[in-house]
Amino acid sequence: MNKTNNEKRLLSLDVLRGFDMLFIMGLSGLIVNLAALAPDCAIAEWFAVQMKHVAWDGFAHHDTIFPLFLFIAGVSFPFSLSKQREAGMNNKEIVAKIIRRAAILILLGVLYNGFFKMQFSTLRFPSVLGRIGIAWAGAALLTLYLKPKARAIICAIILIGYSLLLTIPAPDTLGVEVWSKEGNIAGYIDRLIMPNHILWHGVMDPEGLLSNIPAVVTAMLGVFTGEYLQNSSHSGKRKAATMAISAVILLVTALAWSYLQPINKTLWSSAFVLAAGAYSLFMLSLFYYIIDVQGHRRWCYFFKVIGVNSITIYLAQRFINFGDISRYFTAGLASHLPDGWGAVVISIGYISACWLLLYFLDRKGVYLKV
């Protein structure tokens, strides 16, 4: 199948998505196991800490994986929208497609959470895929009907309004600090509307209802970036530089905002939106410059295989025991290695099993499109 110039120009997008998903696909565990081989090394310990979510406030690399994926979904939308319009689709048809995609992602999220266990009284409704569907759809609908300036104003209103909203104490935990896990208003809304259907029963859900609102801005930052890449007449080098400089501006703004309210992934705080946006934009500028501007593509296939089937591997790890597959092939070797190295080998086996499945699907031209 022939590819358009835009698709070729944005190979970096698939590769970055694959790089992002590789951490979910076992790279985080591998890094933790490698770090354990040097328990007294401060650098190794730092890398191990980065492979886990922060307990509450703060920011680690593991907290960037989800927003980067959502950001990339936003970057892709302007290109997808152009193709749909070139195919003669009107706004009504495009809206129907947006809503259908969001609904499928929400459904897949519920399936991921254990729908077939039939424990409907406590089935978790929110999910990572559900948030991607809701936030991406919100950004897509705004893009379909509003000009960039109007969308930028709405994003600013959302971030400021959400920050103000989070200063309201939860009515059922008065006296508890409003930014705590128990005292925030986002958790109160989860407890009020779906008390038995959240991850942290009696407290809140990390993908709860209220925090979907600022997540729309995360997706919209991606949309703005995609529109810039698609429409700007700037050279590739200048585009990469502009994205990198914009990332620095977002980071400075996030750090300034964090003096007022913390960077918090669970709440998807406004400072978190900007900090994660800064990371996402910088990473895209880096991959875009290396791959699409400089043309260094020989190393890309490993990551591209993951990136073009990212939702497939996310779901597959829920339904296929890649850990058992890895141990079947590597446990014998691992048992003959010094302490710690066995876990490293098994981790490599896990990543290999996942990747080989995706390689097989790619060779057969099978992709899960939502």
Side-chain angles (χ1 to χ4, degrees):
M1 181 176 67
N2 292 328
K3 295 186 176 182
T4 66
N5 290 333
N6 280 339
E7 286 176 310
K8 290 181 180 178
R9 190 164 56 87
L10 285 179
L11 171 63
S12 55
L13 207 57
D14 281 334
V15 176
L16 179 56
R17 188 188 297 109
F19 171 81
D20 191 42
M21 285 302 300
L22 184 59
F23 289 92
I24 299 295
M25 211 175 82
L27 181 58
S28 293
L30 174 59
I31 291 173
V32 169
N33 288 331
L34 286 170
L37 298 175
D40 299 322
C41 176
I43 295 177
E45 181 181 358
W46 181 86
F47 272 103
V49 169
Q50 295 305 308
M51 296 303 107
K52 300 177 182 178
H53 293 298
V54 296
W56 186 243
D57 293 336
F59 198 67
H61 178 271
H62 215 58
D63 299 309
T64 68
I65 297 172
F66 186 4
L68 175 56
F69 192 92
L70 180 54
F71 174 88
I72 291 172
V75 176
S76 300
F77 181 69
F79 298 94
S80 173
L81 181 60
S82 294
K83 291 177 186 176
Q84 291 174 69
R85 284 178 168 157
E86 288 171 4
M89 294 178 65
N90 58 40
N91 280 3
K92 184 177 180 180
E93 292 170 324
I94 296 172
V95 167
K97 188 173 181 179
I98 291 171
I99 294 174
R100 183 169 61 251
R101 183 173 191 258
I104 291 172
L105 286 168
I106 292 170
L107 175 60
L108 289 175
V110 173
L111 293 175
Y112 184 93
N113 287 345
F115 177 85
F116 290 111
K117 292 180 179 179
M118 302 295 181
Q119 298 173 355
F120 301 125
S121 62
T122 57
L123 176 64
R124 182 189 175 205
F125 292 157
S127 67
V128 168
L129 292 178
R131 168 152 300 177
I132 292 171
I134 293 169
W136 172 85
L141 290 172
L142 289 173
T143 302
L144 189 61
Y145 287 105
L146 297 177
K147 298 293 184 182
K149 183 177 180 180
R151 286 183 268 131
I153 293 172
I154 289 174
C155 287
I157 292 172
I158 288 174
L159 294 181
I160 295 170
Y162 185 63
S163 285
L164 294 174
L165 187 59
L166 287 179
T167 63
I168 300 173
D172 61 343
T173 55
L174 293 175
V176 179
E177 208 276 320
V178 295
W179 284 96
S180 67
K181 188 177 293 186
E182 297 79 12
N184 68 84
I185 192 67
Y188 169 72
I189 291 175
D190 289 344
R191 295 191 295 273
L192 182 67
I193 296 177
M194 47 182 185
N196 299 319
H197 302 278
I198 54 180
L199 183 60
W200 302 334
H201 286 197
V203 184
M204 66 178 302
D205 196 287
E207 280 78 49
L209 295 172
L210 192 63
S211 52
N212 283 316
I213 298 172
V216 172
V217 181
T218 298
M220 186 59 74
L221 290 174
V223 171
F224 288 139
T225 305
E227 289 176 325
Y228 173 64
L229 290 172
Q230 182 185 47
N231 300 323
S232 175
S233 60
H234 293 166
S235 67
K237 288 184 179 180
R238 184 171 176 181
K239 287 178 180 179
T242 300
M243 288 190 288
I245 293 170
S246 299
V248 173
I249 294 172
L250 281 179
L251 179 59
V252 171
T253 307
L255 293 174
W257 206 311
S258 70
Y259 282 98
L260 301 175
Q261 295 175 331
I263 295 174
N264 186 297
K265 176 185 177 293
T266 300
L267 294 174
W268 215 275
S269 66
S270 298
F272 173 79
V273 171
L274 297 175
Y279 171 83
S280 302
L281 194 53
F282 176 77
M283 291 300 291
L284 180 57
S285 72
L286 180 63
F287 276 62
Y288 176 77
Y289 179 76
I290 293 172
I291 298 169
D292 297 319
V293 178
Q294 295 296 316
H296 300 304
R297 300 186 174 199
R298 291 184 179 180
W299 60 278
C300 293
Y301 184 71
F302 176 84
F303 296 99
K304 180 177 178 288
V305 165
I306 305 169
V308 296
N309 251 325
S310 53
I311 293 180
T312 301
I313 196 58
Y314 181 78
L315 291 170
Q317 290 179 95
R318 185 65 166 176
F319 304 116
I320 300 173
N321 194 328
F322 289 103
D324 279 354
I325 295 172
S326 173
R327 283 186 288 272
Y328 179 84
F329 288 102
T330 64
L333 173 61
S335 67
H336 291 87
L337 296 175
D339 290 345
W341 282 102
V344 170
V345 169
I346 290 173
S347 293
I348 293 173
Y350 185 98
I351 295 171
S352 300
C354 292
W355 190 85
L356 287 171
L357 170 63
L358 296 179
Y359 173 74
F360 173 78
L361 294 176
D362 185 65
R363 295 291 292 178
K364 296 297 182 181
V366 177
Y367 308 101
L368 176 59
K369 300 292 185 181
V370 178

